[in-house]
Each structure stands twice: as C-alpha cells, then as structure tokens.
Amino acid sequence: MSNRKSIVAVLMLAAIVGVVPQGHAQSVKAVIAGSSALWQTMALGAYNNGTSIVAGGGATFHWTSASNSLNLTDTRPTPANNDAGTVWIVWDSASPVNVWAFTKVDSVVGDRCYFAQPRCSLNGPSSALAAAGSGQISSALWGADTNLPANVQALFTSGTPVSVAATDIRPEDAAFAACRVNSALGSSTAGGASSDGLDGLGYNANNPSGVCPSFPIGTSGKGVGNPILSGYPGSTSAANVLAFNITGKDPFSNTTIPAYTTTSVGASPIVFIIERDKGQLTNVVNATEPQLQQVFSGTNCDASAFGVKAGAISINLREPLSGTMNTTEATVFRRPTVYPGKVLGISQEANVNGAVNNPLTAQAGTCLKGLGGRYRAIGTGEEVKSVQNSGANYGHDGIGYTFFSYGNVSTIANSTAYRYLTLNGIDPIFQTYGSRLEAGQPAGGSLPAAANLPAACAGGAGAFPCSEHTIWKNGFSFPNLRNGTYRAWSLLRLVSNGAATPNVTALVRASNIFVVNDVPDYVPATAVAGTTDLGLKLLRSHYQQKDGNGTLLGPAPANTPTELGGDMGGSILPTTIGVTTAQQLALIQSSTSNASSLGPVTRP
C-alpha cells in the first residue's frame, strides 16, 4: 500500500519533516503507524464515547481520511520513501488541543517507521486534510466525522513524526521478517543443509539470504529492496522493502536507536476465509495444517487438497511484510527456525521466487499440481476483496486469511456465499462451528456481522454496541482462543518510549473497555477494570530471533520484568497452571526445542 511521489515533492517534504510548531507539538499524544487489526479499536478507544481520555480534555471529535490518501515518509533513503495509509485523527476540546492519530499500514511498515532514525513522518496535502471526513468507521459506532480544525490540519501538512508502532508481531519478529524479505532467495549460512531454501525471499539480491544489512549502506542498494507488488487485477498497491534495526544503530543513518517498551493490547485469531458459491469449496468446512500447507505453498493448487472433488481455486497470499502473513506463516505453515534442526512445515512462500514472480499472478511453476493459481494481495482489505471477488475475477472459489475483526470481514459477513473454516476441527470465533449456540452466531459457518446481533444488545437487534456477554453464551469472546485449543493467533501490541508510553497505556485501557462492552474484536491481554473480563490467560514462549548469519536480532528473550524476544509460532503456555504467574511468565522457548515442552506447538 504505497506510492512514490516525485523526487522534487519528496525533497521539499524532507526539508520540513518533523518541523512542527511548538504549540502543536505539545498537544500530540500519539501518532501511531501499523496494524489494521488495531486500527478501529484504537480509534474508538481514543474517541472514548465522546469524552477525552485526558483529564480536563472535554469532548472529543474525529475525522477519517480517504483511503490511502496520506503518507508515511521515510527520509533515510534517497529518494525518500512514501507508504500510503488510511488515517483516523481524534482530538479533544482542551487548550492546547490533545491529538491522537493512526495510519493503517502493514505491521512491519509500522515497526520500521517507528524504529527508523529519523522516524517516519505522517503527512498529507492540505487538500486531503481539509476535505470532509470519509466515514471509514461506521457512524453507528461513533457518529459522523467532523472536519479537522486548522490547527490540527497544520500538524499533518507539515508532518508529524510517528511515536508509536501498532504491530501484530513482536519487534524482533518484524526485524526477522524484514531481513527475510530484503535479501536474496535461498538458504542462509545459519540454515545450511537444514534450510528449506526460504531464509531469504528474493526481493533484494544485494544481501545474502536472510541477512540484515548494516551501516554504511551508501549506494550499494542493500537498504532498499524491490517493492512487493499486488497481483489483484488492476491494483497498483505495493509494499515497500526497506532495512531497519530495532537495537544498536540505524543501518542508514548510523544513529543510535532508543530503548523501547511493548504494551500488550489483546489477542486476535487468524481465520481462513473462503468463497463457496462456485462449487469448488462449497462443502469445505475444516482445514488441517498439512492441507493448508499443500495449498498455500503451491504443492497442490486445487480443491482436492481438502478432500473434496478436484477443481480450480484461487489461493490468496498476503505480502511477507505483513504481520498477518508472518503470524500465519509461523503458526500454520513454517515452524520457527531452530537451526541446526530441520525446518518443519511448508512455507507459503515456497515456489514463489520474489525476484521473478512479482507480482504473483498464477505464473507457470508457482503451482506444482492442481488446476488453480496463487495470487498476491497487499493489505487486509485487498486480501478479503480477493476472496470476495474470486468468482468474478477467475471463475472459481477462492481462499485467504485475515485477523478476525467485525470490520475486517464486514464485506463478506452474514452471507452464505462466504464462510470461515475451522482449523484442525477447532472454531476460531465461536465454541461450536455452524451451531446457533451463541446469541450472535450466524448459521452454517457464515462470518458474523452486526446483522446477526440479538435484540439484547445495547444497540438493539442487528446493531452495535453489543457486549461480549451478549454475543457469547459463556460471556467471554473467542472461547477456543482463550482455552488454548485454537492456536493460530497473535498478541497485538503497541511499541513506544518516553512521553508516548503513558499515552499508550491510557489508550489501551480505553480500547480494552470498548472491546468488552461495544465491539468484541479481540481478547483483552489483561483483566479489564470495571468489567468481568479476566483477560488472556495464555502467552507464547519467547525465543531468540536471528538473521541469516546467526546475528542476534534484539537481546536475549525474557518475559519478566521486560518482555523481550520473538514469539510468533512459540508454544502456547497457560499462565495459571503448575506454577505461579510470575514464574510462568519467565519461561522462554528452549533453543533445543524439538524435544522441549517450551518449543513451538507440534504440528500433525
């Protein structure tokens, strides 16, 4: 989801990035970049039902941009890099006014823009900021958008630096993903004969497979790889590939990267979604990990992989800079590497070759068997749209995946033409698949929507706000994620430091209350004051992420007193069984995890 402006415009912008009038700067509470999974809930947390989360801040107001009309500008490379995003801005009636903003891009882009030295700037043309709000979030949840006042517009016409990253994966995991993408296709030195040949994905031949480039990058081309292009018909979307570090020195500027804190927000499940009205996937209700590995890797691009009649299907992959993609990669497809042990599972990037098949659009050789094809989608919206329009675009059913939220799946929800699947027989959203056990559950495996909500909701039948206690029979959202049986999920986090951190804490608190009482899009990470929600009683084991040369990405893993290390694909650990919570939180994933209870979940 990116674009490149003219060199002249970028250089003019670079000269003013970060130059914000003092009166405006002290009013900015958080400028967030990253995950779509957090975009709506953070907006509604900041808005807080019209009351500022800052004491004495008075009433709050909101505005949303047109889709992908504002930019994140990274001035480290030449020319500067722009990533387009969709933005919400919330402000209050205090003097000086308090301002929160969030631009929706990939998680890894959000992490990169936060850790970049200097950080990326959120900016846009005065015409876009002066325009009426575009209603990107339903007015049923927070009313109609209000036009931005001139002093708030000025913050973003001049450009305001990112102060918070919103991410589906730990910063260590984001750094690993970026180095995997920004390097040559193949096996790494660290992987050797144990590798599956996918430690590097081929979007930058100037870096050895899986290796993170270091300063000085200069004009070597090591810092900027080839953009990952969309394979959706007619789309011009792309994901830009740029190097960054999370500790030590920035690889472009050689500037020291400040220490950071991660604040856990909540856990969200990955759901596999299908179009099912063309006949090929009509009877598919469950998928096992081996079946999904066969399909998404291109080993068998056919409905027959799911044990039904053979038929062409479209298989829609997210870009490998996506937190959604990396969560799914590590929990369903390719187990985290513990070299010198063999890689377990099959990567969804198998048989792609980013140096050649970019964009991925069902080229010869990308499917080894079967009648269908694989396609690249950029961003959550395009992934869902790819499944939604599979029949229209290709004449057959399609499959993809997304973090579940009511907003993410709204375009295909409450429709028998689409369905979500159980994974290894476990439902990601409700207790029992296809039943009407839950008050807010549609029949037959259709994705839930506001239209399915019962009359007992605060908004009445078919409308939000509606609490988790009203939607789920047992009173708590996503029961199989909470009990540990559904294992394709990730903990959503905000990354910050300094003055932004207490603002993040307040924002998370407000968002947690919202997802319990209004729109349950995730499981709160901790108990939510003023409600009966006890929070998530699980964690994933943490481990040391390394690049292709075995270089450590971040410090040694730990969970207390500060959470450190990668955890995507780590073993699911209950925090209340066998030992005290404090002791359990100190557990990390063993480096010899093949035979360890702390290793990643064993796959069938």
Side-chain angles (χ1 to χ4, degrees), residues 230-237 359 361 382 385 393-394:
S230 171
Y232 187 82
S235 174
T236 59
S237 294
T361 53
E382 193 167 276
K385 185 170 67 171
N393 288 336
Y394 312 118

Side-chain angles (χ1 to χ4, degrees), residues 4-294:
R4 299 267 183 177
K5 300 275 187 176
S6 72
I7 294 177
V8 172
V10 167
L11 291 177
M12 290 177 63
L13 177 61
I16 59 174
V17 163
V19 180
V20 182
Q22 183 62 31
H24 293 151
Q26 64 188 4
S27 69
V28 176
K29 293 301 183 182
V31 175
I32 309 169
S35 167
S36 61
L38 285 168
W39 192 75
Q40 178 171 288
T41 59
M42 289 294 109
L44 295 160
Y47 180 64
N48 197 34
N49 292 315
T51 303
S52 180
I53 59 177
V54 174
T60 51
F61 311 90
H62 57 80
W63 175 89
T64 55
S65 74
S67 179
N68 290 334
S69 64
L70 302 187
N71 280 315
L72 281 172
T73 300
D74 189 336
T75 60
R76 297 175 305 153
T78 302
N81 179 85
N82 285 301
D83 290 277
T86 304
V87 175
W88 61 253
I89 299 174
V90 171
W91 66 99
D92 64 17
S93 54
S95 181
V97 63
N98 298 297
V99 180
W100 298 260
F102 191 142
T103 180
K104 177 170 55 176
V105 288
D106 289 331
S107 286
V108 178
V109 173
D111 281 298
R112 185 248 296 165
C113 279
Y114 171 82
F115 285 103
Q117 299 297 311
R119 289 176 177 168
C120 297
S121 167
L122 177 59
N123 62 86
S126 57
S127 58
L129 291 157
S134 62
Q136 296 282 346
I137 296 174
S138 171
S139 61
L141 298 177
W142 66 346
D145 282 345
T146 300
N147 289 354
L148 287 173
N151 61 336
V152 177
Q153 289 182 43
L155 287 170
F156 301 103
T157 53
S158 60
T160 298
V162 168
S163 59
V164 181
T167 181
D168 309 335
I169 52 178
R170 289 276 309 159
E172 296 88 343
D173 296 323
F176 170 84
C179 298
R180 189 181 180 209
V181 170
N182 190 37
S183 60
L185 179 71
S187 301
S188 66
T189 300
S194 298
S195 175
D196 59 354
L198 293 169
D199 295 317
L201 297 181
Y203 292 92
N204 194 338
N206 296 305
N207 296 312
S209 298
V211 173
C212 307
S214 59
F215 183 85
I217 287 176
T219 58
S220 64
K222 292 183 177 181
V224 181
N226 296 319
I228 305 167
L229 306 178
S230 171
Y232 187 82
S235 174
T236 59
S237 294
N240 290 329
V241 177
L242 277 79
F244 68 95
N245 290 332
I246 61 172
T247 57
K249 301 290 187 72
D250 184 276
F252 285 90
S253 66
N254 207 33
T255 302
T256 300
I257 298 166
Y260 62 92
T261 298
T262 57
T263 302
S264 297
V265 180
S268 180
I270 293 288
V271 294
F272 285 89
I273 54 177
I274 61 170
E275 184 184 36
R276 57 182 300 267
D277 60 348
K278 299 300 179 183
Q280 295 82 19
L281 296 176
T282 300
N283 297 318
V284 178
V285 298
N286 177 64
T288 66
E289 287 174 5
Q291 288 172 340
L292 292 167
Q293 288 170 17
Q294 290 286 308

Side-chain angles (χ1 to χ4, degrees), residues 313-336:
I313 57 174
S314 71
I315 302 148
N316 301 286
L317 282 65
R318 282 292 305 274
E319 72 279 19
L321 287 178
S322 154
T324 307
M325 180 275 184
N326 280 278
T327 296
T328 314
E329 178 85 335
T331 58
V332 176
F333 298 117
R334 183 185 193 252
R335 175 172 165 168

Side-chain angles (χ1 to χ4, degrees), residues 40-41 44 141 405-407 464-468 471 511 513-522:
Q40 178 171 288
T41 59
L44 295 160
L141 298 177
S405 73
Y406 280 91
F464 287 110
C466 191
S467 78
E468 63 180 0
I471 296 173
S511 175
I513 293 171
F514 173 81
V515 298
V516 172
N517 294 332
D518 293 84
V519 181
D521 278 344
Y522 62 78

Side-chain angles (χ1 to χ4, degrees), residues 514-593:
F514 173 81
V515 298
V516 172
N517 294 332
D518 293 84
V519 181
D521 278 344
Y522 62 78
V523 176
T526 58
V528 181
T531 77
T532 59
D533 198 297
L534 302 176
L536 185 68
K537 298 303 180 184
L538 306 171
L539 63 113
R540 288 195 180 274
S541 55
H542 287 56
Y543 55 94
Q544 180 70 67
Q545 280 287 17
K546 301 177 183 179
D547 82 350
N549 280 342
T551 303
L552 306 185
L553 301 178
N559 249 314
T560 56
T562 301
E563 184 187 15
L564 297 168
D567 76 341
M568 61 181 189
S571 178
I572 299 171
L573 302 173
T575 62
T576 56
I577 297 176
V579 293
T580 67
T581 299
Q583 289 172 323
Q584 190 77 22
L585 286 171
L587 293 172
I588 60 172
Q589 177 170 304
S590 169
S591 61
T592 56
S593 58

